[in-house]
Amino acid sequence: MCWWAFTGLTHIILEGYFVFSPEFYKDKTANYLAEVWKEYSKGDSRYAGRDAGVVTLEGITAVLGGPASLLAVYAIAKGKSYSYILQFAVSLGQLYGAAV
């Protein structure tokens, strides 16, 4: 459950910031999240260039994958029957994102 909570919050906070802050690289206020993405962009220029495919994939992950991961925490804690299919779906989305 800790992993699902961690990955859900990571997707929502970090990737959500990237998607919804298109000019993070211009931020001079030393915002922690902007600095994280500036450093990440040094290793993968598609992020600094705001490649449409990357922004779309990160957006889907932030809006769907993050909340689904947090829903998985709830489903596991409450013993809901859909917890397994939810975990499988999020994992499959992660695999797809890694492949892209």
Side-chain angles (χ1 to χ4, degrees), residues 13-52:
I13 295 169
L14 285 177
E15 295 172 356
Y17 179 82
F18 170 75
V19 172
F20 298 110
S21 297
E23 297 190 353
F24 68 90
Y25 55 90
K26 293 181 182 178
D27 191 338
K28 303 287 186 207
T29 63
N31 179 342
Y32 178 75
L33 294 174
E35 295 301 317
V36 166
W37 284 108
K38 286 177 192 175
E39 287 299 316
Y40 195 82
S41 296
K42 291 177 183 176
D44 190 343
S45 62
R46 295 177 300 169
Y47 285 84
R50 305 285 298 172
D51 179 70

Side-chain angles (χ1 to χ4, degrees), residues 69-93:
S69 296
L70 296 179
L71 182 59
V73 172
Y74 169 78
I76 294 167
K78 296 295 183 178
K80 301 291 184 182
S81 61
Y82 60 85
S83 69
Y84 299 109
I85 192 68
L86 186 58
Q87 292 173 64
F88 179 74
V90 172
S91 297
L92 194 58

